[in-house]
Amino acid sequence: MEEIQLLGHGFAVALQWENVLLMVAGIVLGVLIGVLPGLGGANGIAILLPLTFTLPPVSAIILLSCIYWGALFGGAITSILFNIPGEPWSVATTFDGYPMAQQGKAGEALTAAFTSSFVGAFVAVVMITFLAPLVAQFALQFGPPEFFAVMFLSFACFIGLARGSPLKALAAMMFGFLLAGVGMDGVTGQLRMTFGSMELMRGIDFLVVVIGLFGLSEIFQSIEEGLRFKGARARITLGTVLRTWAELPRHWALFIRSSLIGCWMGITPAGATPASFMSYGVARRMAKDKDSFGRGRMEGVVAPETAAHAAGTSALLPMLSLGVPGSPTAAVLLGGLIMWGLQPGPMLFVEQKDFVWGLIASMYLGNIVGLIIVLAAVPWFAAILRVPFSIIAAIILMVCAIGAYTVNSAEFDVVLMLIFGVIGYVMKKLDYPLAPLVLALVLGDRTEESFRQSLLLSEGSLAVFFSNWLVGGIMTLGLVMLFYPTLSKLWAPRMQPA
C-alpha cells in the first residue's frame, strides 16, 4: 500500500540522529511538564514554541509532538503517587490509581497506566496513518463553502459538547474571534481595532495569548491555592513490569473499547478529559464487581489512561487532514505550523509529504521512547515534586516572559502576555473555557476568509452553504451540534417513562 511506503520514508526522516535526540529531549520535557500540576501539554508547547523557530519544520514539530506525548505520560505519575492530577484527563486515574499506591502497588499501577497509554496512542496513530490521507484526499474537493462548513462544525462541536455552560463557551469563542480581527484586514487591507497603536497593526500574536492564558493563569491559580506536594514513593523493577504485563492481556476487551471511545472523542472535539471519564464509567458499568471500583482496581487505571491517550493523539487527525484542530494542544500545534509557513489541510499531504510522514513516523517512535523513559525514570520525575513550588513557579514565569518576548522581540508582547494571564485567571475562576477562545483565535482569519469568499461566489446569498449535499450535510450537522444542549433538554422528558 502507498501509505506503508510513505510511512517507511517518514521513518527515514524521523530516524535522523538530530531528530532522535530532539525526540528524547521532547519526551523528557513533556514528562516534566506533565508531572507539574497545572501546566499540561498545551501550556508546555505554548511556552516552548519560541525555542523551535530556529529548527527546520520537521524537527520542530517532532520536538513539540514528543513534548505532548511526554505530558500525556507524565500526568499519571502525580495522579497515582500524589493523588494530584497532573492533567485534567488524569482525574479519573486517581480514583483507583492512588488507592493502589496506598496498598503498596504503586509500581503495578504505574506500569498499567504507562502501558495503557502506549496502547491507546498506538491505536490512534495507526488510525491516523490510514485515515488521514483518505480524509485529505476527499477534502481536496472542498471549496470555500465546504471549508467554512467544516470550521463551523468544529466550532459548533466545542459549544454543543462543552462540559460547562454552552453560553460561556460561545462567549469565549466570540472573544477569540474579536482578537483574531485585530490588525490588517486580509481582503481590503484596512486596519481594524488598532486604536492608533503601531504594535497592534501586526495583530495579536496567538502565541503571546496562549502563553498568558495557559501558562501564567495556571501559575496565578496555583499560587493562590498554595500548592504543596505530598505523596508516596515508587520504584518500578523489571519483575513488576513483567508481572503486570502478564496480567494486562486479560483486559483486551477493555483496551479495545477504551481505544474506540478515545478515538471518537478525539476526532470530535470533545477532548481527552470526557473520554477518560466516559471510559471509566463504561468500564465500571460493565464490570461484575462494580463496588470494587474506587478501591484499587487495575481496570480503573487501564480504562481512563487508554481512552485519554487515544483521544489526545487522534485529535491530530482533523488538524493534519482538514486544518481544524480537535483539542487545545492541536490548536497550538496548528498555530506553530502556520508560523513556520506551512498550511495544515489536504494540500499538506501533497506538497509536504516529508513533513507529514516524518511527523506520523515520529508518533510511533515517540510513543515507544516515551514508554521506555517513564518506566525507567519514575523515581527521578516524582522527586521533582519535592522541590518547593515557589522555585518552580518562578522558573516557569521566567520561561513564559522569555517566550513571549522571543516571538517579535517586542516588550509590548510581554505586557500583552501579562494582560492575558490575568484574563485567563479570571476566566478560570468564572468557569469560562479557554479551548474555544484559542480555537477561534487560530482559525478566525481562515474562517472569515472562507465565509467572505463564499459570499462573493454567491453574490451575498447564504444559500451557498446548502447548495449541494456535502456542504449542506456538514452545515446541518453543525447546526444540530450547536443546538444539541437545547435539543437534549427538550428530548429528555419524552424519554422518561410515564
Side-chain angles (χ1 to χ4, degrees):
M1 295 178 64
E2 184 181 5
E3 287 82 3
I4 302 297
Q5 296 176 351
L6 292 171
L7 183 61
H9 181 67
F11 275 108
V13 174
L15 285 173
Q16 296 176 7
W17 67 269
E18 59 270 22
N19 289 337
V20 173
L21 290 178
L22 289 172
M23 200 179 301
V24 174
I27 292 292
V28 173
L29 287 172
V31 175
L32 292 176
I33 289 168
V35 164
L36 296 174
L39 273 183
N43 307 342
I45 291 175
I47 293 170
L48 298 176
L49 185 57
L51 303 180
T52 65
F53 290 167
T54 58
L55 297 175
V58 176
S59 300
I61 196 66
I62 286 176
L63 174 62
L64 293 177
S65 63
C66 286
I67 291 173
Y68 185 32
W69 312 143
L72 287 171
F73 279 111
I77 296 176
T78 53
S79 298
I80 293 172
L81 297 183
F82 296 85
N83 202 28
I84 301 174
E87 304 282 356
W89 54 77
S90 298
V91 173
T93 307
T94 63
F95 299 160
D96 285 271
Y98 187 66
M100 288 183 69
Q102 295 299 99
Q103 297 165 14
K105 300 179 181 179
E108 288 85 348
L110 288 169
T111 302
F114 297 149
T115 307
S116 303
S117 303
F118 172 83
V119 172
F122 181 80
V123 172
V125 175
V126 171
M127 180 193 67
I128 291 175
T129 303
F130 294 100
L131 282 187
L134 297 178
V135 175
Q137 186 175 7
F138 177 70
L140 288 173
Q141 307 172 16
F142 285 14
E146 286 79 9
F147 271 113
F148 175 79
V150 169
M151 294 177 190
F152 175 76
L153 174 60
S154 179
F155 293 130
C157 287
F158 265 93
I159 296 172
L161 299 177
R163 295 192 299 274
S165 168
L167 292 179
K168 289 185 176 181
L170 179 61
M173 188 174 291
M174 293 300 103
F175 183 45
F177 280 122
L178 182 68
L179 296 176
V182 175
M184 185 176 293
D185 185 351
V187 177
T188 63
Q190 294 180 344
L191 295 178
R192 303 185 298 190
M193 294 180 287
T194 59
F195 307 103
S197 171
M198 295 293 293
E199 289 84 359
L200 290 177
M201 286 181 60
R202 61 172 178 265
I204 296 178
D205 197 285
F206 94 99
L207 186 55
V208 176
V209 175
V210 296
I211 289 176
L213 287 177
F214 288 96
L216 286 190
S217 64
E218 287 289 351
I219 295 300
F220 294 159
Q221 196 166 5
S222 298
I223 292 173
E224 179 193 19
E225 295 171 355
L227 193 58
R228 295 181 179 178
F229 306 125
K230 294 181 180 179
R233 297 181 182 273
R235 181 171 176 265
I236 299 179
T237 63
L238 180 59
T240 302
V241 173
L242 295 178
R243 187 168 59 252
T244 306
W245 282 355
E247 183 180 351
L248 286 178
R250 295 194 297 109
H251 307 300
W252 61 270
L254 179 61
F255 278 113
I256 295 175
R257 185 170 64 243
S258 300
S259 297
L260 293 177
I261 291 174
C263 289
W264 171 251
M265 299 293 279
I267 295 174
T268 60
T273 304
S276 65
F277 279 101
M278 180 183 293
S279 182
Y280 183 88
V282 172
R284 185 178 185 277
R285 191 175 303 125
M286 299 187 69
K288 295 180 180 178
D289 186 9
K290 299 180 177 60
D291 294 335
S292 63
F293 273 77
R295 300 177 183 176
R297 283 283 292 269
M298 185 172 290
E299 294 95 319
V301 175
V302 170
E305 286 295 314
T306 304
H309 282 242
T313 306
S314 59
L316 299 180
L317 188 151
M319 185 202 77
L320 290 173
S321 55
L322 299 174
V324 178
S327 69
T329 307
V332 177
L333 287 174
L334 175 66
L337 296 183
I338 295 173
M339 294 183 70
W340 297 323
L342 301 174
Q343 188 61 55
M347 291 304 296
L348 198 65
F349 285 80
V350 178
E351 299 174 349
Q352 301 288 342
K353 290 185 178 180
D354 287 351
F355 172 84
V356 172
W357 291 102
L359 171 60
I360 294 176
S362 74
M363 294 180 187
Y364 288 98
L365 297 174
N367 203 20
I368 297 172
V369 172
L371 179 63
I372 295 173
I373 289 177
V374 292
L375 285 175
V378 162
W380 300 339
F381 289 121
I384 295 170
L385 298 183
R386 313 292 177 185
V387 179
F389 185 75
S390 57
I391 297 176
I392 295 175
I395 294 174
I396 295 173
L397 288 173
M398 181 182 67
V399 173
C400 289
I402 294 173
Y405 180 81
T406 306
V407 176
N408 296 303
S409 299
E411 296 178 5
F412 180 74
D413 287 339
V414 180
V415 176
L416 276 182
M417 177 199 69
L418 293 172
I419 294 173
F420 282 105
V422 175
I423 292 175
Y425 169 77
V426 174
M427 289 180 67
K428 288 182 178 181
K429 298 297 287 186
L430 298 178
D431 200 26
Y432 279 81
L434 299 181
L437 190 159
V438 175
L439 183 70
L441 178 61
V442 173
L443 294 181
D445 291 339
R446 296 179 62 195
T447 304
E448 180 188 7
E449 181 181 347
S450 299
F451 181 74
R452 294 170 73 173
Q453 288 177 348
S454 301
L455 293 184
L456 287 174
L457 290 173
S458 64
E459 297 182 350
S461 174
L462 293 176
V464 68
F465 299 115
F466 297 91
S467 57
N468 57 63
W469 68 270
L470 178 59
V471 65
I474 298 174
M475 286 295 294
T476 302
L477 181 59
L479 291 171
V480 171
M481 296 307 302
L482 180 63
F483 296 105
Y484 176 78
T486 304
L487 295 175
S488 61
K489 289 180 181 179
L490 294 176
W491 187 256
R494 300 183 181 184
M495 298 297 292
Q496 294 177 357

